[in-house]
Amino acid sequence: MANNSPNIAIVGGGISGLVLAIALIRRGIKVQVYEQAHAFGEIGAGVAFGPNSVRAMQTCSPEIHTAFHRVATRNQWPDKRNVWFDFMDGYDKDAPVGKEKLLFTLTTEDGANAVHRAHFLDELVKLVPDGVAHFKKHLDTIELPDGDGKVKLLFHDGTEAEADAVIGCDGIKSRTRAWMLGGDDKPGAAPVYTYKYAYRGLIPMQRAVDELGEDNAKNAKMHLGQDGHILTFPVNHGETMNVVAFHATEDDWPDARHLTRSMEKKHVYEDFKDFGPTVQKIIDLLEPNLDCWAIFDTGDHPMEAYNKSRVCCLGDAAHATSPHHGAGAGICIEDAAVMAELLAEPGVAKAGTRGLEAAFRIFSECRRERTQWLVQSSRRTGDLYEWRAEGVGRDVGKIYEECKERDERIWDSQIEELVAEAKESLAAILGA
Ligand SMILES: Cc1cc2nc3c(=O)[nH]c(=O)nc-3n(C[C@H](O)[C@H](O)[C@H](O)COP(=O)(O)OP(=O)(O)OC[C@H]3O[C@@H](n4cnc5c(N)ncnc54)[C@H](O)[C@@H]3O)c2cc1C
Ligand SMILES: *[C@@H]1O[C@H](CO)[C@@H](O)[C@H](O)[C@H]1NC(C)=O
């Protein structure tokens, strides 16, 4: 392999796997993507990206950045372009529909760039050359060679593949993570329930405007309350309003093998019965049957390292977070940018297997603190939104201060600095 670009196998073709594949291909590195599904696909729901993630897309590949902006939607009102969310008092029972009290506003240099997940994934797929993706390949396990040979991937259908290194982008239920930790029964191999779930829905914009008023429908809003919160933001260039309604619970999730289930709308009314008229109206607009998502994360047993020899975990596979910061996918894109820049360093190919191991070690060292902080901070933020955070409760001033500080830690990070630091550490061990 010396002096040759390595062969990288990526397990999983979600946002992480595809962004990483595109970033590596752009840098002349050979990749194969193994996806368990019969085609690339994403569930129909919205996902928002903060400015740190948009900058990381540019580092991964300007084509990703361009593709993203083709499908991204910001707040529709020009004077709210930089608003991340307006935080509203969802518990205000006296305010008529659309007239809840504004508690506070968080802004970024770029507002909330939101996409319909399926549309963004379609754009990413267009950037993946033919012959790179292999479908219906569910990874069962990995075998390491004794020496410098190839790493072997064993799939559920009995087939195998080989690569110089493997990057697990296989999401929250990652097989790669379980293998790295030494088995399904090891702490951290399985994600844990955060005792929150979320109903998700999409509402045609015109209906939302008619019923909720233009500001509520066309700009990002977070309706806060006791033990629950509902957020809405525009997607599809303003044609659709995305809704996510979170609620806390004491009950276990019935079946950890299935993280979503269909629920009747009466449960949403029940959960939000103490909320005010605006929230009731949002629920009225939802379909009679809704997807309900269990919010799981990897926060109870964070991985001690994302690397093991020439195998590495990246994205949700390494650090699945609850979605309260709206930063889970964004941090995956930062991961991909750092990984691609490390693997593209000339010293990596030159050093052969030692180079790949070193790149993965540095990736792990550089990414662990920030990504694991995000998982914990997101839990805390969910509680802040739902007036459950210890020492804060319903104190709006404190909620604002803490949310702002946490969000800015995410948004202000500069990908160039993260990459430069990683490359420096890599050079130090490769002696470049
Ligand atoms: C309700 C909710 C709302 C969210 N909102 C936001 C938001 O607003 N902003 C944000 O930034 N993030 C958000 N997130 C987080 C974001 O969705 C994830 O961080 C992101 O999608 C993770 O991408 P991934 O590619 O790492 O994993 P995934 O998207 O899970 O992709 C993993 C891929 O690997 C495949 N795979 C799995 N196992 C195997 C196997 N054994 N073999 C082969 N293939 C396999 C899967 O089929 C899938 O295609 C939200 C999450 C949730 C649950
Ligand atoms: C992962 O990287 C660390 C350095 O960060 C290193 O000490 C360790 O040996 C690596 N783990 C494995 C299993 O290769």
Side-chain angles (χ1 to χ4, degrees), residues 11-17 34-37 41-42 46-49 53 117 137-140 155 169-175 198 200 233 244 246 293-295 314-317 321-323 325-332:
V11 183
I15 289 176
S16 298
Y34 300 96
E35 164 60 45
Q36 65 182 5
E42 267 281 3
V47 52
F49 288 91
S53 6
R117 302 172 78 102
K137 294 294 172 194
H138 174 86
L139 179 81
D140 267 343
F155 300 106
C169 297
D170 42 353
I172 188 163
K173 294 179 183 169
S174 172
R175 297 297 313 152
R200 313 192 74 173
F233 54 81
V244 195
F246 292 90
W293 289 42
I295 308 300
L314 180 152
D316 273 21
T321 170
S322 56
H325 272 305
I331 214 101
C332 296

Side-chain angles (χ1 to χ4, degrees), residues 1-4 345-352:
M1 195 194 81
N3 292 318
N4 265 327
E345 283 289 271
V348 170
K350 238 181 256 161

Side-chain angles (χ1 to χ4, degrees), residues 29-352:
I29 295 170
K30 290 175 258 163
V31 299
Q32 302 292 318
V33 177
Y34 300 96
E35 164 60 45
Q36 65 182 5
H38 59 86
F40 292 124
E42 267 281 3
I43 39 77
V47 52
F49 288 91
N52 59 305
S53 6
V54 179
R55 288 191 295 266
M57 286 177 203
Q58 182 74 33
T59 304
C60 285
S61 165
E63 286 181 317
I64 295 176
H65 191 255
T66 306
F68 173 73
H69 280 298
R70 258 200 299 280
V71 291
T73 305
R74 289 167 73 168
N75 281 338
Q76 300 291 289
W77 284 9
D79 63 334
K80 296 210 171 190
R81 276 168 60 96
N82 294 341
V83 169
W84 174 249
F85 277 99
D86 282 327
F87 291 78
M88 317 299 294
D89 184 357
Y91 236 51
D92 187 349
K93 289 176 208 56
D94 301 324
V97 174
K99 299 275 184 270
E100 287 167 324
K101 184 170 164 223
L102 172 69
L103 298 174
F104 58 88
T105 297
L106 289 177
T107 58
T108 82
E109 68 197 52
D110 217 12
N113 276 281
V115 294
H116 191 300
R117 302 172 78 102
H119 298 173
F120 183 41
L121 206 84
D122 287 347
E123 291 293 321
L124 292 176
V125 169
K126 288 185 205 158
L127 299 175
V128 178
D130 288 344
V132 166
H134 309 272
F135 296 106
K136 296 196 222 161
K137 294 294 172 194
H138 174 86
L139 179 81
D140 267 343
T141 190
I142 297 171
E143 282 176 9
L144 289 174
D146 286 334
D148 282 348
K150 302 274 183 187
V151 183
K152 208 183 264 181
L153 299 97
L154 304 170
F155 300 106
H156 198 66
D157 63 0
T159 60
E160 298 177 2
E162 287 184 342
D164 294 313
V166 175
I167 303 176
C169 297
D170 42 353
I172 188 163
K173 294 179 183 169
S174 172
R175 297 297 313 152
T176 314
R177 180 175 71 239
W179 173 83
M180 283 177 59
L181 294 171
D184 290 330
D185 51 342
K186 293 288 187 299
V192 294
Y193 193 32
T194 61
Y195 292 89
K196 284 190 188 354
Y197 51 79
Y199 306 97
R200 313 192 74 173
L202 295 165
I203 295 169
M205 184 54 80
Q206 196 51 54
R207 270 205 82 197
V209 170
D210 291 346
E211 300 288 341
L212 300 167
E214 204 179 310
D215 181 22
N216 269 298
K218 293 194 167 180
N219 302 309
K221 303 279 171 185
M222 188 95 71
H223 305 270
L224 307 186
Q226 187 65 52
D227 299 330
H229 71 283
I230 294 192
L231 59 92
T232 67
F233 54 81
V235 291
N236 287 353
H237 299 302
E239 311 251 310
T240 310
M241 187 177 87
N242 181 64
V243 181
V244 195
F246 292 90
H247 205 271
T249 178
E250 314 265 274
D251 299 332
D252 288 321
W253 184 256
D255 180 0
R257 281 169 309 171
H258 300 108
L259 301 190
T260 63
R261 58 177 170 151
S262 180
M263 294 284 270
E264 288 171 53
K265 196 154 84 169
K266 66 172 192 225
H267 296 288
V268 193
Y269 282 120
E270 175 60 24
D271 282 344
F272 290 91
K273 64 178 186 310
D274 295 327
F275 283 65
T278 304
V279 163
Q280 302 307 325
K281 184 57 82 182
I282 294 171
I283 302 172
D284 291 346
L285 295 173
L286 296 170
E287 298 287 323
N289 284 294
L290 293 154
D291 276 345
C292 180
W293 289 42
I295 308 300
F296 277 61
D297 73 8
T298 53
D300 277 7
H301 302 281
M303 290 182 89
E304 274 172 32
Y306 300 154
N307 63 309
K308 178 170 177 172
S309 177
R310 275 177 281 147
V311 180
C312 199
C313 279
L314 180 152
D316 273 21
H319 44 73
T321 170
S322 56
H324 308 300
H325 272 305
I331 214 101
C332 296
I333 294 172
E334 285 184 6
D335 275 0
V338 172
M339 179 63 92
E341 285 283 283
L342 282 172
L343 289 177
E345 283 289 271
V348 170
K350 238 181 256 161

Side-chain angles (χ1 to χ4, degrees), residues 1 148 310 347-348 351-359 426 429-431:
M1 195 194 81
D148 282 348
R310 275 177 281 147
V348 170
T353 55
R354 195 174 68 88
L356 291 167
E357 275 182 25
L426 182 67
I429 57 169
L430 284 180

